[in-house]
Amino acid sequence: METKTDVLLGLQWGDEGKGKIVDVLTPHYDIVARFQGGPNAGHTIEFGSKKFVLHTIPSGIFNKNTINVIGNGVLIDPFILDSEIESIRTSGVDVFKNILVSRKAHLILPTHRLLDAVYEKAKGKDKIGSTLKGIGPAYTDKAARKGLRTGDLDQADFEQRYQKIRSQHLKIVSLYQVDFRDIAIEGIPFEAYEKSWLEKLAVLQQFEKTDSEYFLNDALAKGKKILAEGAQGSMLDIDFGAYPFVTSSSTTSAGVCSGLGIPPSKVGRVFGIFKAYCTRVGSGPFPTELFDQTGEELRKKGHEFGATTGRPRRCGWLDLPALKYAIMLNGVTELKIMKADVLSGFPKVKVATQYKINGQLTETVPFDPERIEAEPEYRTFEGWDEPLNEISRFDDLPQQLRKYIQFIEKETGIPIQLVSVGPNREETIVR
Ligand code: GDP
Ligand code: IMO
Ligand code: MG
């Protein structure tokens, strides 16, 4: 019987714990597919005493019966992909057998990384806080119809096309009065980095390349189960995030259709995941951000440092208007709350229920929250002291936390059917 694709995506500013939950859900799926973003993502998976961080490889990789697809909407950097392969080698998975790469996925070229660095530097205090993985420039070239795709590697004129776009990029860099030889990428001077990048193309060529839209639609027709794995978060979406402090892809469920070639009628359940509080890495508006000791505590207890860049994440209370906005945009059918354990020990837990803008209360996320002052109105809950990571039944959670969860369910109208109480696979409560 024909099936539909389920989707799991982050409802906040990324790093909600998508990697962990995709890994937890993978045994129920035949295929896990990434549909957008690129190595700006850092998805952490922990089981036993092992910890892995994935950037391009879908988080279904640790189940040997699951096929992992890197869809057409994803950007691939062979240098980073190679380092990921190395980092998971100890786990014993056969990456070349279990991963399919779309021929239509675009490449991040070394000069995209140069451009990202140059543009970001030129923005000065208005910088986006990009991960500098070349995401913006590579999606720009895709839209400008001059990007290179993995399928182009098999064409005789690849080298020629590469040189052409490279020299265009270097001209742009020179306009910024920067000598490209002075820029280091991944800690390596540009020319040495580029040499290594070109060598890693051979690694990318070892993967089976497919027209993944055919592969996925055929799989659905045969009754196979597919899980689409989001990267970043809804509040970083190119259209719906606080532009320009966004990433360059459609991070919402709409991205599944364009990023995998799956029609809207074949999208099934939409799992929205969010932290019990909020974090953001990089610049841009964050109405509930805490600049005090409580924010510092959240960062410390939640180990809130970027999985891709190591940067400290900004921390604050849960923002319900933003959460409701993301639920609306994605058509979320089920919620999963993450890192509830981090809130243990806080005397009070707060949640923003509305914003005050020019003296008026509203639940609407403003057009330009950077310039329009949105002051959160909070509802305060009693905290709890018990550690949660050994609890396995919802009913055994502290009553104060259950109250907090029930409040979010009532406000959003969506059931919370999973509570995550630790980074490990096992530390997961399914209701
Ligand atoms: P992703 O980008 O959405 O996959 O999330 P990241 O991996 O960037 O960040 C989530 C971090 O929180 C990782 O270090 C996870 O190991 C960790 N984590 C995930 N779920 C939980 C949880 O329920 N509790 C705690 N304490 N940590 C968690
Ligand atoms: P995962 O998938 C958190 C943020 C960057 C920056 C903005 C633009 O791990 O949740 P970019 O590199 O795309 O030009 O950066 O988006 N950002 C993320 N923040 N998690 C991510 O991915 C992110 N990917 C990009 O910090 O503010
Ligand atoms: Mg992450």
Side-chain angles (χ1 to χ4, degrees):
M1 204 192 67
E2 195 172 75
T3 47
K4 293 189 178 194
T5 301
D6 293 340
V7 182
L8 180 135
L9 39 71
L11 300 177
Q12 295 163 323
W13 288 272
D15 303 329
E16 296 89 351
K18 298 175 290 293
K20 170 184 164 164
I21 298 302
V22 170
D23 172 67
V24 166
L25 296 179
T26 292
H28 304 288
Y29 290 91
D30 301 298
I31 299 167
V32 173
R34 276 276 305 268
F35 58 93
Q36 47 68 236
N40 48 349
H43 294 182
T44 313
I45 296 171
E46 290 191 36
F47 50 87
S49 57
K50 293 192 179 128
K51 177 173 168 174
F52 301 97
V53 181
L54 300 173
H55 303 288
T56 324
I57 295 176
S59 301
I61 194 66
F62 298 110
N63 182 345
K64 63 180 186 334
N65 299 320
T66 302
I67 301 287
N68 290 269
V69 173
I70 302 176
N72 57 278
V74 177
L75 299 176
I76 302 180
D77 183 327
F79 183 93
I80 296 178
L81 182 61
D82 178 65
S83 66
E84 278 178 82
I85 296 169
E86 281 305 313
S87 76
I88 64 174
R89 205 176 278 286
T90 56
S91 67
V93 289
D94 184 348
V95 285
F96 298 111
K97 185 167 146 257
N98 285 355
I99 297 177
L100 299 178
V101 176
S102 166
R103 279 197 184 90
K104 298 188 176 76
H106 279 243
L107 291 170
I108 299 176
L109 310 181
T111 44
H112 285 136
R113 305 276 311 259
L114 278 184
L115 289 173
D116 218 1
V118 168
Y119 292 153
E120 190 73 340
K121 186 141 187 276
K123 288 197 170 100
K125 68 168 184 34
D126 297 325
K127 71 174 185 191
I128 308 289
S130 166
T131 61
L132 301 178
K133 300 295 173 189
I135 302 297
Y139 276 126
T140 300
D141 279 348
K142 176 178 178 177
R145 298 161 294 183
K146 55 185 190 186
L148 290 172
R149 301 180 290 174
T150 67
D152 295 326
L153 287 166
D154 301 324
Q155 307 294 322
D157 62 351
F158 179 81
E159 168 70 17
Q160 215 183 328
R161 289 169 67 191
Y162 175 79
Q163 289 302 337
K164 188 172 168 195
I165 191 161
R166 177 188 192 272
S167 70
Q168 285 174 1
H169 288 160
L170 292 184
K171 268 188 212 142
I172 301 174
V173 171
S174 70
L175 291 176
Y176 284 80
Q177 271 137 25
V178 186
D179 185 343
F180 70 88
R181 292 174 200 86
D182 294 341
I183 301 179
I185 296 175
E186 302 286 331
I188 309 169
F190 178 74
E191 284 169 314
Y193 173 81
E194 185 185 33
K195 185 166 174 281
S196 180
W197 186 93
L198 287 164
E199 284 162 12
K200 303 298 184 203
L201 289 176
V203 176
L204 181 53
Q205 286 292 64
Q206 288 179 55
F207 285 96
E208 185 181 338
K209 287 195 242 75
T210 62
D211 295 312
S212 53
E213 60 279 29
Y214 281 114
F215 175 79
L216 294 169
N217 281 289
D218 283 352
L220 289 177
K222 289 182 184 135
K224 301 272 187 208
K225 296 191 72 187
I226 303 177
L227 179 66
E229 172 182 2
Q232 290 75 60
S234 301
M235 301 309 285
L236 290 170
D237 183 85
I238 179 87
D239 284 279
F240 302 108
Y243 193 89
F245 299 101
V246 295
T247 190
S248 298
S249 66
S250 294
T251 59
T252 56
S253 51
V256 173
C257 299
S258 58
L260 293 175
I262 289 172
S265 57
K266 290 187 185 158
V267 173
R269 297 154 79 186
V270 180
F271 309 127
I273 96 169
F274 67 103
K275 281 182 199 176
Y277 50 96
C278 284
T279 64
R280 172 164 204 169
V281 58
S283 335
F286 181 179
T288 61
E289 182 168 12
L290 292 165
F291 299 95
D292 57 5
Q293 193 52 36
T294 309
E296 197 53 52
E297 275 297 273
L298 280 172
R299 181 156 41 249
K300 220 170 79 201
K301 294 182 69 180
H303 304 289
E304 296 296 355
F305 296 88
T308 296
T309 56
R311 290 178 291 175
R313 296 176 182 146
R314 300 154 65 193
C315 297
W317 296 121
L318 186 66
D319 182 334
L320 263 186
L323 189 68
K324 289 180 182 176
Y325 183 60
I327 289 171
M328 172 185 84
L329 294 169
N330 290 300
V332 170
T333 58
E334 284 148 72
L335 286 169
K336 302 180 194 297
I337 188 168
M338 306 299 292
K339 300 190 106 163
D341 55 302
V342 174
L343 293 182
S344 293
F346 286 88
K348 305 271 181 214
V349 172
K350 292 188 183 186
V351 46
T353 52
Q354 295 184 92
Y355 306 127
K356 195 185 253 175
I357 298 176
N358 296 330
Q360 299 273 50
L361 287 175
T362 176
E363 281 195 59
T364 306
V365 174
F367 164 69
D368 188 353
E370 185 68 355
R371 290 183 184 81
I372 301 168
E373 176 93 35
E375 194 195 320
E377 287 278 307
Y378 289 105
R379 171 155 177 161
T380 304
F381 290 79
E382 287 305 314
W384 58 91
D385 285 324
E386 300 91 314
L388 308 182
N389 60 313
E390 295 202 344
I391 298 177
S392 55
R393 280 164 20 110
F394 185 80
D395 293 341
D396 295 338
L397 288 171
Q399 182 233 334
Q400 299 92 317
L401 171 58
R402 280 183 283 134
K403 232 171 127 180
Y404 182 63
I405 289 175
Q406 279 149 10
F407 176 75
I408 300 167
E409 288 185 311
K410 192 169 138 273
E411 283 287 312
T412 58
I414 309 289
I416 297 183
Q417 50 71 270
L418 183 148
V419 184
S420 179
V421 291
N424 210 281
R425 252 185 208 167
E426 315 299 324
E427 294 164 319
T428 309
I429 301 172
V430 180
R431 281 167 96 183

